[in-house]
Amino acid sequence: HIQSRVSTVLQYHHNSILMMSQVAAKGALRHIIQRKATNVSFFSNIHTKTLSRSAGSVTSFHDNHRSKSRNHFSQSRNFSQSRGASSMLQDETGIEMDDIEDFKTDKEYYPGDEVDTGKTDEVEEAKRQAVRDELDTKTGRLWEDRWEFTDEDWSTGKSFEDLADWTEEICSRVSRDRVQVYPDGVPTLGVLASLPLPLSTPTHPALGDPNPYVKHRKNAIFNSIYDAVEKFAEPKVEKILATKDWNEKQDAIDDLFEQVHDGIKKRGDGDDDYISVVLGSQPTFPRMVEQALEKYLRSVVRDEKESFDENKDGNDEDDSNPDESAVPVFMDLMKSKGASLDSEGVPKAINPLKKHPNDGVGRMLEEWELSANDKTRRIMIRQCTRDIARVLNEGNGSRVFVTGRKGAGKTAALASIVASARESGHIVMYLPDGDRLRRNGYYVEANSHRATEEGKLFDLPLLSQEVCGQLMESHSKDLGSMSASKEVVEKIISADQLKKVHKAVENPTEDESIPLNDLLKIGNENVGLAAACYGAVVDVLMTQTSTPFTIVVDQFNCMFDRGHYFHGDFDRGGEKAIPIDRITLFKPLTDAMGVMKTDGGDFITKDPVPMKVGGFVAGITESHAVTKKCTKDLTDAIAGSGATCVDVPQYSALEVEHILANFEIIGIGRLRFDRGETVMNNQEVAYLRMVSGAVGQPLLDACVH
């Protein structure tokens, strides 16, 4: 503003500038003061303390008289129109420019009056900060602008490229308060089995049995009416509780029952048309309103009593369900003790889960790759995850089969179970890519040492070598005290192979048992011995009782589709594929689940051969080239065998809200920079839930594109 005013003076009073330049050449004129005229203040004291003598000095006059205190530095910056210095002197004072004394400082002209520029700067900065605070209040921002380029940044030579692209501090407070992360990162199976979690949405009636969905919709309608009744009755109940006379309380309760029906409908006018118009016209609406009011009054009475258990009404069992008031919880694989990442940025807690270049497991890893926050790896804990944990936690040899539509989160559920089981001390053999295992064995060998009633078994050496390396990497410490006895070794490994194994053992034992770590190391280094070492290790783990052994297999249905392994010892013509239960890599899996596929393509069940301690969890895939008939027949066979089937449904409305809040916090897609505009906009949240069908993968796509 000062510079603008000075430019105006220069434009309209060129002659005055020339005269002042001459005076500046003599003594750097700064103040022009006529004692007989009005006291004059100058712009130079506001803009700068010193003007260059060679460039000249510019001054302007203020219309207001300078007070005796001369605090013109802290007064208003509204300046009146100025007149040229020379014309003012000639017209008002009659003094020529040559009669003016040389430059005098403020201290010389006003003895004892010194200007405290530091104090002035503090006052001005306080005013600017007040303006910033006012703007923040008006716009309702809950953050600071992290991309503000300060004067300090300029002075240190920083550029915009040096600033952070994203920081969690710019996320909205709504998202930060909404997202709940388990304190210890990953819960154990025991904790996970008892963790309160929000109710999930039942499977859509078009995809299965409609009865669960009908029950869900009835509960949703009742909950809507209950919320409206609570809002209407709460202030009235407070007055009733304050009444001391019992008869007056009873009369007030009777009046409340008479008023609640019409009160809810009137309250809905313009406020909630769904209650007043849609539900209010239903013939069962009055009865549902009374039931909701009764439930609310019971809850009020229960809160007033000291002990809930002693005074609990038998019809209030649903009120004690902690899941009704629970919120979604995330596990963070990077917050657990000793958490680390592999070379591809995947937590080692879920090793060997990796993203394959062409096709592979679900797109949970894609969420982590797109995230701006590289210090967290979160998975939402859902009721389906808790159901799996409960089965594994209740008994040994348990079998769980996980189903769900494409993109619903089956891979995420299995990965969270793997992390939780390892946190609980389980030895977990995790096979996340069943489709790759059934196709990419490269070559198959006949096993001359092992056979079943159906015939000879066959090995997949390269894949067996891979699994040995994965087990050794994840559980070498857990396997340190375990060994394969001589009997087990001779049952699984042929004589020729056993000689090579004994030569490779670093520390032979007197009883000729072989440590499992040595077997895994040999199998990882020698592909010719990999299948034999794998078989011996798995046989020991299935029968030992010291440490729980859990097998988790994803894309289990791919293994039962069209076979890809052929050998002349099985079919001389090479036309028939080797059945999955005749391959040593897959035989422990089919035996544990108790299912097999006949040559005619039918699924039959058999007595399972479970592990002594631990369990078996298998999941299907809907994103690979597996016929629906194969998947359906396999599911029916496993369900009929007594295994527990767990379905992974689409997200509920509450889960969608928390997923979007987590996307903002970890910085995904367009939620990375919108500063809460999406999560705080109910219509936008409803739109994303609609276009994605409340399914994980489409929801991620909708937030990215």
Side-chain angles (χ1 to χ4, degrees):
H1 179 71
I2 294 171
Q3 293 174 352
S4 175
R5 299 299 301 165
V6 171
S7 299
T8 304
V9 173
L10 286 173
Q11 181 177 358
Y12 289 98
H13 304 288
H14 181 64
N15 294 333
S16 174
I17 301 305
L18 293 177
M19 296 180 68
M20 285 186 287
S21 298
Q22 297 173 0
V23 176
K26 293 179 181 181
L29 174 62
R30 189 168 185 182
H31 293 287
I32 303 175
I33 301 177
Q34 173 59 33
R35 297 181 182 180
K36 296 180 181 181
T38 306
N39 291 332
V40 181
S41 61
F42 296 87
F43 283 113
S44 57
N45 281 333
I46 299 176
H47 184 58
T48 180
K49 198 64 176 162
T50 306
L51 297 177
S52 173
R53 294 188 180 189
S54 60
S57 304
V58 179
T59 62
S60 178
F61 301 99
H62 199 288
D63 288 345
N64 297 328
H65 295 292
R66 179 169 181 168
S67 62
K68 292 182 180 181
S69 62
R70 296 177 294 279
N71 287 331
H72 57 282
F73 301 103
S74 60
Q75 298 300 322
S76 172
R77 294 187 179 185
N78 296 323
F79 301 102
S80 61
Q81 294 182 352
S82 301
R83 301 178 59 188
S86 60
S87 60
M88 179 176 179
L89 289 173
Q90 292 174 358
D91 295 345
E92 298 184 6
T93 67
I95 298 177
E96 297 294 340
M97 292 296 296
D98 295 337
D99 298 333
I100 300 176
E101 298 179 4
D102 288 341
F103 175 81
K104 287 186 177 182
T105 64
D106 287 339
K107 188 173 182 180
E108 293 173 335
Y109 210 93
Y110 301 106
D113 183 18
E114 298 183 9
V115 180
D116 188 357
T117 56
K119 183 176 181 181
T120 303
D121 293 339
E122 292 178 1
V123 173
E124 296 301 327
E125 178 61 27
K127 291 181 179 179
R128 287 193 290 269
Q129 185 61 40
V131 174
R132 296 191 195 105
D133 295 340
E134 182 181 1
L135 289 176
D136 288 344
T137 302
K138 289 184 178 180
T139 57
R141 295 193 301 173
L142 304 177
W143 56 84
E144 295 179 355
D145 190 353
R146 308 308 300 178
W147 292 277
E148 180 182 357
F149 212 73
T150 63
D151 294 338
E152 182 180 356
D153 293 331
W154 284 114
S155 62
T156 56
K158 286 185 178 181
S159 63
F160 281 103
E161 286 74 14
D162 297 324
L163 299 180
D165 292 336
W166 178 89
T167 173
E168 188 176 346
E169 295 178 2
I170 68 170
C171 298
S172 64
R173 187 181 303 166
V174 172
S175 295
R176 281 184 282 180
D177 292 343
R178 179 175 293 172
V179 175
Q180 304 293 324
V181 181
Y182 185 72
D184 295 332
V186 179
T188 62
L189 288 176
V191 174
L192 182 56
S194 59
L195 196 66
L197 296 171
L199 301 174
S200 298
T201 303
T203 305
H204 194 275
L207 302 176
D209 185 10
N211 292 328
Y213 188 80
V214 171
K215 182 179 179 180
H216 163 73
R217 287 303 306 160
K218 288 182 178 180
N219 291 334
I221 292 173
F222 180 80
N223 291 334
S224 299
I225 296 176
Y226 179 84
D227 292 340
V229 168
E230 184 178 12
K231 292 179 181 179
F232 174 79
E234 185 175 9
K236 300 181 181 299
V237 170
E238 292 179 356
K239 296 180 180 179
I240 295 174
L241 293 175
T243 304
K244 297 182 179 180
D245 185 72
W246 177 258
N247 293 327
E248 293 182 3
K249 285 185 177 182
Q250 187 62 46
D251 293 340
I253 292 295
D254 295 339
D255 294 339
L256 180 60
F257 270 94
E258 295 176 359
Q259 299 170 3
V260 64
H261 179 269
D262 294 335
I264 293 300
K265 297 190 68 174
K266 291 180 180 179
R267 188 182 183 89
D269 294 342
D271 182 29
D272 191 351
D273 292 339
Y274 177 69
I275 298 293
S276 62
V277 178
V278 179
L279 298 182
S281 60
Q282 301 297 321
T284 58
F285 180 72
R287 180 171 56 84
M288 297 182 70
V289 169
E290 291 184 1
Q291 292 176 349
L293 181 58
E294 290 176 2
K295 181 179 178 180
Y296 172 67
L297 292 177
R298 289 196 206 99
S299 67
V300 172
V301 172
R302 184 185 67 241
D303 293 340
E304 291 293 318
K305 294 180 180 180
E306 295 181 355
S307 175
F308 170 72
D309 294 332
E310 295 178 0
N311 302 278
K312 179 180 176 183
D313 190 293
N315 296 326
D316 291 340
E317 295 180 358
D318 294 338
D319 294 343
S320 63
N321 186 2
D323 291 341
E324 292 186 354
S325 58
V327 296
V329 179
F330 290 83
M331 68 167 59
D332 193 339
L333 303 182
M334 296 304 297
K335 290 185 64 176
S336 60
K337 185 178 180 180
S340 59
L341 301 175
D342 61 16
S343 59
E344 296 185 4
V346 180
K348 292 184 178 180
I350 55 174
N351 180 66
L353 182 64
K354 299 182 184 299
K355 179 176 175 57
H356 298 287
N358 297 324
D359 56 351
V361 297
R363 292 171 55 188
M364 179 186 65
L365 297 183
E366 183 180 10
E367 174 185 322
W368 295 343
E369 289 179 332
L370 295 174
S371 170
N373 189 345
D374 59 353
K375 298 180 180 179
T376 181
R377 299 291 188 272
R378 294 175 180 170
I379 305 176
M380 176 180 280
I381 304 175
R382 308 179 62 190
Q383 280 201 347
C384 55
T385 311
R386 186 182 65 182
D387 294 341
I388 300 173
R390 284 178 174 175
V391 176
L392 293 176
N393 197 54
E394 285 175 357
N396 298 320
S398 52
R399 297 174 295 149
V400 183
F401 192 63
V402 181
T403 62
R405 60 184 296 187
K406 177 181 178 181
K410 299 181 294 296
T411 298
L414 293 178
S416 59
I417 288 296
V418 171
S420 182
R422 285 175 172 166
E423 187 72 15
S424 304
H426 288 220
I427 297 174
V428 181
M429 187 173 76
Y430 183 26
L431 304 176
D433 199 352
D435 183 61
R436 190 175 67 91
L437 295 178
R438 63 125 177 192
R439 299 189 281 115
N440 295 343
Y442 298 100
Y443 66 93
V444 59
E445 290 181 344
N447 190 317
S448 59
H449 185 67
R450 299 178 63 187
T452 63
E453 296 178 357
E454 290 79 14
K456 185 182 296 185
L457 298 180
F458 297 86
D459 297 332
L460 294 175
L462 287 176
L463 293 180
S464 299
Q465 182 185 31
E466 180 181 307
V467 175
C468 287
Q470 293 167 357
L471 273 174
M472 183 174 62
E473 180 181 357
S474 300
H475 297 285
S476 59
K477 293 182 179 180
D478 302 321
L479 299 171
S481 60
M482 298 184 184
S483 300
S485 64
K486 179 181 179 180
E487 293 76 12
V488 172
V489 170
E490 292 177 349
K491 180 180 67 174
I492 303 297
I493 304 176
S494 66
D496 292 339
Q497 292 175 329
L498 189 56
K499 292 180 181 179
K500 298 178 182 179
V501 169
H502 282 303
K503 289 181 179 180
V505 173
E506 297 179 354
N507 299 313
T509 59
E510 296 181 357
D511 58 358
E512 297 185 11
S513 62
I514 303 176
L516 296 190
N517 275 331
D518 288 349
L519 286 173
L520 291 176
K521 183 179 180 181
I522 295 170
N524 186 45
E525 295 175 352
N526 191 328
V527 66
L529 301 175
C533 292
Y534 162 80
V537 169
V538 173
D539 187 89
V540 172
L541 292 176
M542 294 283 288
T543 56
Q544 56 85 33
T545 58
S546 59
T547 304
F549 177 54
T550 301
I551 299 177
V552 180
V553 185
D554 200 358
Q555 304 175 1
F556 190 59
N557 55 331
C558 291
M559 300 179 181
F560 292 90
D561 197 23
R562 182 172 58 90
H564 289 73
Y565 298 120
F566 301 86
H567 197 279
D569 287 354
F570 177 75
D571 180 25
R572 301 296 298 177
E575 296 180 356
K576 295 182 179 180
I578 303 173
I580 184 176
D581 58 318
R582 299 277 295 276
I583 299 176
T584 56
L585 179 64
F586 305 133
K587 182 173 175 55
L589 313 182
T590 58
D591 290 346
M593 183 57 78
V595 65
M596 60 181 297
K597 189 176 182 180
T598 64
D599 294 338
D602 298 327
F603 287 92
I604 59 175
T605 59
K606 59 182 180 180
D607 293 334
V609 184
M611 52 283 295
K612 297 291 185 180
V613 182
F616 182 81
V617 182
I620 67 169
T621 177
E622 294 285 354
S623 58
H624 288 72
V626 181
T627 62
K628 291 185 177 181
K629 183 179 185 303
C630 175
T631 301
K632 183 179 183 303
D633 292 346
L634 175 64
T635 303
D636 294 340
I638 293 177
S641 67
T644 302
C645 292
V646 176
D647 183 72
V648 179
Q650 66 269 29
Y651 292 134
S652 66
L654 180 62
E655 289 174 331
V656 170
E657 293 176 358
H658 284 252
I659 285 289
L660 295 178
N662 181 62
F663 282 173
E664 182 189 350
I665 288 181
I666 65 178
I668 284 187
R670 59 191 178 95
L671 278 75
R672 180 182 299 186
F673 299 116
D674 73 350
R675 299 182 174 184
E677 292 184 3
T678 298
V679 298
M680 290 187 289
N681 188 332
N682 293 333
Q683 292 185 350
E684 184 67 17
V685 173
Y687 169 77
L688 291 174
R689 187 172 69 249
M690 178 192 67
V691 298
S692 65
V695 178
Q697 289 184 9
L699 182 60
L700 176 63
D701 293 337
C703 294
V704 171
H705 299 296

